[in-house]
Amino acid sequence: MRNLGISIYPSNSSKERIKDYISTASIYGYKRIFTCLISSQENTVEETIENFKEIVEFANSKNMEVVADVEPDVFKRLGISFNDLYIFKEMGLHGIRLDIGFSGLEESIMSFNKYGIKIELNMSNGTKYIDNILSYKANTENILGCHNFYPHVYTGLGYEHFIKCSKQFKDLGIRTAAFVNSKEAKFGPWPVNEGLCTLEIHRDLPIDVQAKHLFATGLIDDVIIANQFASEEELKTLSKINKNMLEFKVELNEDIPELERKIVLEEPHFNRGDVSDYLVRSTQSRVKYKDSKFNPFNIVDIKRGDILIESSLYKRYAGELQIALKDMKNTGKTNVVGRIAEDELFLLDYIEPWMKFSFLI
């Protein structure tokens, strides 16, 4: 199951506001929470525990799992060893994320901790870190992977590096996560605030498009909003995306007949296995509606991202739905019935043979 998550930073806001944020997120079905112990400003171990414990317990009561970012210096500051993760259990944490790790042996030992605390590893470095840990016979049932986020503009991961790093973990069957940016949120763990996301190309995209892209790669299981506090509208918008199938936002032609509209929005779609470089082809509608009439009404030149339905001038192809992958000249028989939203056009590259997809207005 793929999940959505939020991030909280207790050092940057009141407990009451954070609890309200958690409550709202839980209403919309969010299941994960990321927080940061690295940037916490408490002076004593007791203050650190108390500051996080109340909020984590509240999150747990809302059926949300909290993972806290740590590094070896946090262990030193808290006076604890990798051999005993009791303090994290005391805080009520589901897991700890090692932003900076140990030698590999320590992580493997932590993966067998008696409290069942998950050990989440930094996925963004592209080294053999995970292979090293597994060479020490780690308990893979207790290991997760999560990318970094980047508050400084132009410092986010490049796409090819992101894919390489994600595949390292996904190919091992490890659950993965990455971060998206809220345009409304103002707080992160660090003073720099130019958006928070894993992939640099996501920084200025709508939050739902960022998440659709991460899920479309097939390499990310959980998507977490990195900055605090996303607006309720953003939480709602993100919660509505189809996490398991590409669902394109579209604008339909104002003159589209009712049957063509029904085919676009209500019929199931999948790309044929014998794929074309020019078109995504969903052919079941031409079978279901083979006795229907599809009159030509918008025969215009075709642009990448246009949604097409063949008119009855195309005989046995009549009623077939297609998505244009390239600009093309219309043969005079094809109706352009709508268009995919401009900021989602790049997602067309993720439609593979037999892949299911859908549309929404």
Side-chain angles (χ1 to χ4, degrees), residues 244-246 269-271 351-358:
N244 299 302
M245 180 175 66
L246 262 177
H269 301 291
F270 63 86
N271 192 20
I351 299 183
E352 298 177 354
W354 303 113
M355 182 174 282
K356 284 65 178 174
F357 60 92
S358 60

Side-chain angles (χ1 to χ4, degrees), residues 116-134:
I117 292 172
K118 303 297 182 184
I119 308 303
E120 191 168 71
L121 307 176
N122 186 340
M123 288 174 55
S124 295
N125 291 325
T127 66
K128 298 295 184 181
Y129 177 51
I130 179 61
D131 298 323
N132 182 41
I133 292 170
L134 296 185

Side-chain angles (χ1 to χ4, degrees), residues 9 33 45 81 94 159 169-170 174-175 178-179 198 202 239-240 247 257 273 289 292 296 298 320 335 342 345:
Y9 305 104
I33 294 179
V45 174
S81 164
H94 175 71
Y159 180 71
F169 282 73
K170 197 63 179 173
I174 294 173
R175 190 170 186 86
F179 293 95
T198 293
H202 284 174
S239 73
K240 287 183 175 180
E247 191 169 55
Y289 299 106
S292 299
N298 192 34
E320 176 174 312
N335 282 315
E342 293 298 316
L345 286 179

